[in-house]
Amino acid sequence: MDVRRTTVRDMRRTNRSVILTSIYRQGPLSRFELSHETALSAASVSNLVAELLEEGIVEEAGSVESDGGRPRVLLRVAREFGYVVGAEVGETRVRVELFDLSMTVRATVVYPIETPKPAPELAVKYVLQGLQHVIERAGVTADRVLGMGVAVAGVVEGPADAVVHAQTLGWDAVPLGAMLAAATDIPIQVDNGANTLGQAEMWFGAGRGATDAVVALVGSGVGAALVTGGSSYRGTRSSAGEWGHTTIVYGGRPCRCGAEGCLEAYVGAEGVLDRYRLAGGEVAPEADEEAAFVAVLDAVDSSEIAAQVVKDTIGYLGAGFANLVNLVNPERIVLGGWSGLLLGERYLDEVREAVGKHALRRPYDQVTIEPCELGRDAVALGAATLPVLRLLRDGGTTRRVAAG
């Protein structure tokens, strides 16, 4: 092997990655701005941009006036250079979406799940069926799809041939990555749903500009993405962020994971509804989980049971956030997930107040608590950023470019 040639090639790919990432995350940018942002020479930027333009991954996006010189041409990633797919395997549905590289949705399909613990084979069936359907509905060909990201609950070990450990779903060492890859030539990546939501919010939403943040996913279950120094913290084997399974009450309510007193058992929508029923509240038997959760929130002014359950939920969530404030000292906490946003829309000030009652004063003064900006369905969007991130890291090299 020619070590020098390998080193030069790797450095060139690294520089392409730096330029492409800057254009994607901060663009449109001019060549002059790229040189300033990346600390690469003007000649290097010019040469590499010429390559990216020729390959079609970057395109011109107008121009801006410069000080005393000719206008500077702006550059952006070409939105239709390729497409990415994001899939969310939730506890009540599988959602699959196809995006262009501007992360504009081109097609969506949703499959309801009737059982709270779907078999892995059912999840794989819906994800692959959804992949085919969104490609057809968007009117693109499979070779234009750069990859698919899949978001699931639980601990995901990977990324190659990802293995999923999801106790709440009854999944033990499920080779989900291999199961999906066996049925499609499109590259597959799998990650935890809270992590994908976190990446989406850090790139496009309420996390932008923060370097130390927590993005909380509060839905049927509870999780969190931890960001330190601008990078995702995953721990030894990618299980960091299982905030929902930290103990909030010693010897407390049983959790779906098998332990007792987990935060998820008190704050997750399933746990909230269970506490409401045990307290004597009634839920319409035909209502799905989201409709039942909204009904409890709507009943606060007319039902003492609902009022107490919601008050307690705010308190538990505030205590859980305070633990994060004291433990990791984030500058920002983003509240996301469908039930988290429903709660935050009505009671975010009360949540902030509850955090202040439990957190140390100094780190509490340093944190802001904000709602997710990307909406209730941002997990699938976050999953679709996985192949985008790989594209950026590879400097724009894809199967199509590599083939010439």
Side-chain angles (χ1 to χ4, degrees), residues 47-399:
N47 289 335
L48 294 174
V49 165
E51 285 183 8
L52 295 170
L53 284 166
E54 183 178 359
E55 292 165 8
I57 189 170
V58 166
E59 64 184 11
E60 295 182 353
S63 61
V64 293
E65 295 296 325
S66 62
D67 297 332
R70 62 182 181 181
R72 292 174 180 155
V73 176
L74 297 176
L75 304 163
R76 68 185 176 199
V77 171
R79 62 189 300 171
E80 294 189 353
F81 172 78
Y83 301 88
V84 291
V85 178
E88 176 193 4
V89 179
E91 294 165 341
T92 60
R93 65 182 184 177
V94 171
R95 183 183 188 90
V96 184
E97 295 186 303
L98 184 142
F99 303 82
D100 61 29
L101 289 184
S102 71
M103 303 315 289
T104 299
V105 179
R106 294 299 190 92
T108 301
V109 64
V110 178
Y111 303 100
I113 295 177
E114 303 299 332
T115 171
K117 292 188 176 183
E121 291 78 11
L122 180 63
V124 169
K125 172 187 173 183
Y126 283 153
V127 168
L128 293 173
Q129 188 172 308
L131 173 63
Q132 185 63 35
H133 282 182
V134 294
I135 289 174
E136 292 174 357
R137 290 182 184 182
V140 302
T141 55
D143 64 304
R144 300 295 309 285
V145 178
L146 305 177
M148 176 170 68
V150 180
V152 298
V155 176
V156 180
E157 295 181 346
D161 295 328
V163 175
V164 180
H165 307 265
Q167 290 174 226
T168 57
L169 299 179
W171 293 11
D172 184 17
V174 173
L176 190 65
M179 293 169 70
L180 291 166
T184 178
D185 291 330
I186 293 173
I188 303 288
Q189 293 168 275
V190 183
D191 202 353
N192 172 272
N195 287 335
T196 69
L197 173 66
Q199 184 156 293
E201 284 294 325
M202 294 302 294
W203 280 19
F204 310 114
R208 285 174 297 180
T211 57
D212 293 271
V214 175
V215 181
L217 173 61
V218 182
S220 297
V222 175
L226 308 179
V227 179
T228 61
S231 300
S232 177
Y233 177 75
R234 294 175 177 268
T236 302
R237 297 294 296 274
S238 298
S239 68
E242 288 293 340
W243 172 58
H245 299 290
T246 56
T247 302
I248 198 75
V249 178
Y250 175 73
R253 287 170 42 79
C255 179
R256 297 181 302 171
C257 73
E260 295 179 342
C262 291
L263 179 67
E264 181 174 297
Y266 293 87
V267 171
E270 183 176 307
V272 172
L273 292 173
D274 191 43
R275 288 193 292 111
Y276 179 67
R277 293 186 188 96
L278 290 174
E282 295 185 0
V283 176
E286 70 278 5
D288 61 23
E289 190 172 61
E290 184 169 340
F293 191 85
V294 170
V296 173
L297 296 180
D298 288 343
V300 164
D301 293 333
S302 59
S303 166
E304 291 184 6
I305 295 175
Q308 188 62 52
V309 167
V310 171
K311 179 182 178 181
D312 290 344
T313 301
I314 292 169
Y316 289 126
L317 181 59
F321 278 160
N323 287 339
L324 292 171
V325 170
N326 293 343
L327 187 63
V328 299
N329 187 208
E331 61 183 294
R332 194 172 305 165
I333 294 176
V334 179
L335 174 59
W338 68 266
S339 63
L341 282 175
L342 286 170
L343 197 65
E345 286 167 4
R346 307 186 191 206
Y347 300 108
L348 189 58
D349 287 341
E350 288 84 347
V351 171
R352 291 172 176 145
E353 183 180 353
V355 177
K357 291 179 179 179
H358 295 281
L360 294 171
R361 285 194 299 272
R362 184 56 179 163
Y364 176 67
D365 289 342
Q366 297 168 336
V367 70
T368 60
I369 302 171
E370 306 295 338
C372 164
E373 291 183 0
L374 300 178
R376 301 176 191 176
D377 301 318
V379 174
L381 168 64
T385 66
L386 296 176
V388 174
L389 181 59
R390 182 168 59 187
L391 177 72
L392 299 179
R393 285 177 174 171
D394 289 346
T397 302
T398 67
R399 293 175 295 172

